[in-house]
Amino acid sequence: MATAVAAPFRFFSLQVVRTRRLGPSLVRVTFDGSDLRDFHSDGQDQSLSLFIPHPGQSEPRVPIELGDGWWQGWRELPEDVRAVMRSYTLRSLRRDADGHTAEIDIDFVLHGVEPDAAIEAGPASRWAAGAAAGDKVVLLGPAVADNRAIRFRPPEDTDLVVIWGDETAVPAACSIVESLPAGTPARVWLEVPHAGDIQDLVTEADAEITWLVQEERAAQSPPLALSVLRDTQLPPAEHPYVWIAGESGCVKELRRHFVREREFDRRRVTFVGYWRQGLTEEQLREQE
């Protein structure tokens, strides 16, 4: 039985329904479970904490029964026993006839899974690459639709939306673009490892979407995103809003570009570091 954490978040016990390979580096995993009827989110970049089992475990070990003390209890479990925790964003959700959440999608980046990969696959990539129907996970997610784990919040007077995201932010960015109101001017850059990772997006916004493929410009310096954006002339706007997410170092450079070089109002630039080059999520969590 799932036990509530501090509102507006709680635990959800879920299982895999199906998987779908989106490209060489991306796989979509669909989850369901009776707990999802209490899952509520109105955000397009909703952050989640996903707990997956170690190889050989039938389900992830998370001491949900400890209530608010779950974190300390989880930390005290041996590393090879406690569930692997990773941060993700919600790609989409589907509701049943009564309006309750019935299924959710999470897109995983498969770093290091390819046979000729230059880096070693992490536990979440390995799990997602082999995920099958019935596999069990635990999710720490929203029980309240409007919650602090939603970052994309353009002010009402926004007359231009600017978006950049690397492969870890592509799910959230795609969800944002698809949700923009009809006619909304938007300029979007999405960075992926391979050309096969490019996705078709349907939006009613006036969106110009540019896919940046890392394998085609691997030697680019400064970072690919910064180089491209510096050479881009944005349409005129009095009240632009920027959302940038991905690797922390690149995100900081892009924020500096918009605030210092383009002189955008810093209060209208949302920036989120999803990961940091050279650090695992455990190491990043320790630093924070």
Side-chain angles (χ1 to χ4, degrees), residues 110-123:
L110 302 180
H111 283 309
V113 172
E114 306 89 337
D116 59 345
I119 61 173
E120 181 181 356

Side-chain angles (χ1 to χ4, degrees), residues 270-287:
T270 296
F271 60 107
V272 190
Y274 283 163
W275 61 290
R276 187 175 300 171
Q277 188 72 43
L279 294 180
T280 65
E281 186 159 337
E282 287 85 1
Q283 292 169 331
L284 186 58
R285 199 178 297 122
E286 288 293 333
Q287 287 191 2

Side-chain angles (χ1 to χ4, degrees), residues 103-263:
E103 291 184 343
I104 63 169
D105 294 331
I106 298 177
D107 290 357
F108 292 77
V109 180
L110 302 180
H111 283 309
V113 172
E114 306 89 337
D116 59 345
I119 61 173
E120 181 181 356
S125 291
R126 289 194 298 269
W127 179 88
D135 288 353
K136 296 180 180 180
V137 302
V138 171
L139 186 76
L140 181 57
V144 176
D146 188 1
N147 58 79
R148 65 179 181 272
I150 297 171
R151 301 296 301 277
F152 179 77
R153 298 180 182 272
E156 291 186 5
D157 62 353
T158 297
D159 52 4
L160 174 66
V161 175
V162 179
I163 293 171
W164 173 85
D166 66 12
E167 63 268 32
T168 64
V170 161
C174 288
S175 182
I176 289 170
V177 172
E178 291 171 346
S179 72
L180 291 174
T184 302
R187 296 298 179 266
V188 182
W189 290 266
L190 302 176
E191 194 164 332
V192 291
H194 307 287
D197 297 320
I198 294 174
Q199 303 174 38
D200 291 328
L201 297 181
V202 177
T203 179
E204 295 182 355
D206 176 16
E208 181 180 298
I209 303 169
T210 302
W211 290 87
L212 307 175
V213 180
Q214 296 162 1
E215 66 181 356
E216 296 175 356
R217 303 176 66 169
Q220 186 80 15
S221 181
L224 175 56
L226 187 58
S227 176
V228 171
L229 282 169
R230 276 180 172 158
D231 294 336
T232 298
Q233 182 173 350
L234 295 174
E238 292 186 11
H239 305 290
Y241 172 78
V242 179
W243 182 93
I244 45 182
E247 197 280 319
S248 294
C250 190
V251 165
K252 289 178 181 177
E253 287 196 54
L254 287 171
R255 178 179 182 270
R256 195 175 298 120
H257 164 72
F258 283 109
V259 173
R260 295 184 182 177
E261 298 179 27
R262 292 190 184 264
E263 297 184 337

